[in-house]
Amino acid sequence: MNVQYQKLATCLESVRKKINFKPETALILGSGLGDYADEIQIEQTIAYTEIEGFPVSTVAGHKGRFVFGYIQGVPVVIMQGRVHYYEGYPMSDVVLPTRLMGMLGAKKLILTNAAGGLNYEFQAGDFMMLTDHIAIGVPSPLIGSNLDELGPRFPDMSQVYSEEFKKVVRDAAQTVGISLKEGVYVQLTGPAYETPAEVRLCRALGGDAVGMSTACEAIAARHMGIEICGISCITNMAAGMSKGTLNHGEVQETADRVSKQFKELITEIVRKSR
Ligand code: HPA
């Protein structure tokens, strides 16, 4: 058996020993959304450290656990704290939790993140639904022998973020009164924020927001045939687009400021996507 698949199988078995719960929808929570998982109807939590072979996150403010439970009656699994490529893990480990949630039964995935705005029409505090992504700044999570058990060698990526899901997200935003932006997310490795020249490059490439996660997880999930939606919280305008310098504190501050709205949006998406 393929080494990567073996690792997934070990993690799956480890989780299955602790809980027999089939999620319909999986969620990955970005900055500022971490405590959303505490507010749902929780069935059980499993710390990443309790799962054999699981990559463990090191970023301050990221809790590392799966939360199993219900949102509006929908069975969900939530990744409270994600694994980032800049932490030094191989890309196969970065997407392992995503794949694991798929193997647990999730057919839908809601990806969230904090991102820098590239589009001058945006401002800090906005929410942007991902219409597509550019992931050429990071290695593909599908490099290496194909995990045939999960999906094909050359998966189609023409509709990573499903049209149907996009409609649900637009609808949900309207219901909760959010003026939702839409655009293309560019994933770079980080951990340094971009230079102004890199920001201009990302914009020239067609990007509307830039960040350090998400696209790789979307690729791994799409490979498995999972239906995906993605939402960025624009926590700041990217480097060089506004006065001053960037820092993680500012990102966190904006994310926290709009987290209530963000949570309402996620809840409504889950409710409407059923
Ligand atoms: N760049 C990259 N990642 C980010 C940013 C940014 O400006 N803001 C939040 N995450």
Side-chain angles (χ1 to χ4, degrees):
M1 201 192 285
N2 176 293
V3 187
Q4 295 307 330
Y5 193 76
Q6 182 66 57
K7 199 166 173 174
L8 277 161
T10 304
C11 289
L12 182 64
E13 197 186 319
S14 182
V15 171
R16 279 286 172 243
K17 273 189 198 149
K18 298 178 204 305
I19 188 169
N20 185 21
F21 183 95
K22 188 164 179 281
E24 267 176 37
T25 298
L27 289 96
I28 302 185
L29 303 179
S31 300
L33 265 188
D35 60 352
Y36 178 69
D38 300 325
E39 298 165 15
I40 72 159
Q41 184 193 331
I42 298 177
E43 279 292 302
Q44 195 172 327
T45 64
I46 300 179
Y48 297 155
T49 49
E50 293 175 60
I51 304 169
E52 207 185 323
F54 199 91
V56 177
S57 175
T58 56
V59 186
H62 282 270
K63 271 189 208 162
R65 60 179 194 171
F66 282 121
V67 175
F68 295 87
Y70 296 88
I71 298 173
Q72 302 279 315
V74 180
V76 299
V77 56
I78 302 182
M79 256 191 97
Q80 199 174 20
R82 58 154 51 96
V83 182
H84 295 89
Y85 185 59
Y86 60 72
E87 291 172 75
Y89 296 103
M91 201 41 117
S92 54
D93 271 0
V94 174
V95 301
L96 181 146
T98 305
R99 286 174 160 160
L100 188 56
M101 294 193 292
M103 289 166 79
L104 285 165
K107 297 277 181 270
K108 293 189 174 120
L109 171 66
I110 301 173
L111 289 164
T112 65
N113 60 48
L118 297 170
N119 186 327
Y120 276 105
E121 313 262 292
F122 296 176
Q123 55 182 25
D126 279 348
F127 296 104
M128 183 194 88
M129 175 177 77
L130 277 64
T131 53
D132 204 346
H133 71 225
I134 295 172
I136 54 179
V138 287
S140 168
L142 307 183
I143 287 174
S145 34
N146 184 53
L147 305 186
D148 296 328
E149 297 88 345
L150 303 186
R153 169 79 292 188
F154 301 108
D156 176 57
M157 290 287 149
S158 54
Q159 257 202 42
V160 177
Y161 306 92
S162 92
E163 285 306 322
E164 212 166 303
F165 225 153
K166 282 182 207 163
K167 279 189 206 133
V168 168
V169 175
R170 285 186 196 113
D171 231 35
Q174 200 167 25
T175 303
V176 300
I178 287 174
S179 151
L180 187 71
K181 306 289 194 287
E182 300 190 8
V184 173
Y185 177 90
V186 184
Q187 180 177 4
L188 299 180
T189 65
Y193 290 115
E194 302 69 36
T195 64
E198 286 162 349
V199 167
R200 289 194 294 276
L201 172 70
C202 289
R203 196 178 316 110
L205 287 174
D208 296 289
V210 59
M212 308 172 190
S213 65
T214 304
C216 57
E217 293 150 346
I219 292 169
R222 197 65 209 122
H223 178 235
M224 298 176 77
I226 293 171
E227 227 190 300
I228 306 161
C229 77
I231 299 153
S232 292
C233 172
I234 306 297
T235 50
N236 57 281
M237 291 313 284
M241 293 177 69
S242 58
K243 289 201 188 84
T245 56
L246 298 187
N247 63 76
H248 186 61
E250 173 193 353
V251 167
Q252 201 67 49
E253 208 175 289
T254 310
D256 291 344
R257 174 165 63 80
V258 297
S259 74
K260 187 166 167 286
Q261 255 191 324
F262 207 169
K263 290 172 193 172
E264 282 169 14
L265 178 62
I266 302 299
T267 303
E268 196 58 23
I269 291 170
V270 173
R271 198 177 70 77
K272 285 197 156 81
S273 67
R274 193 149 208 204

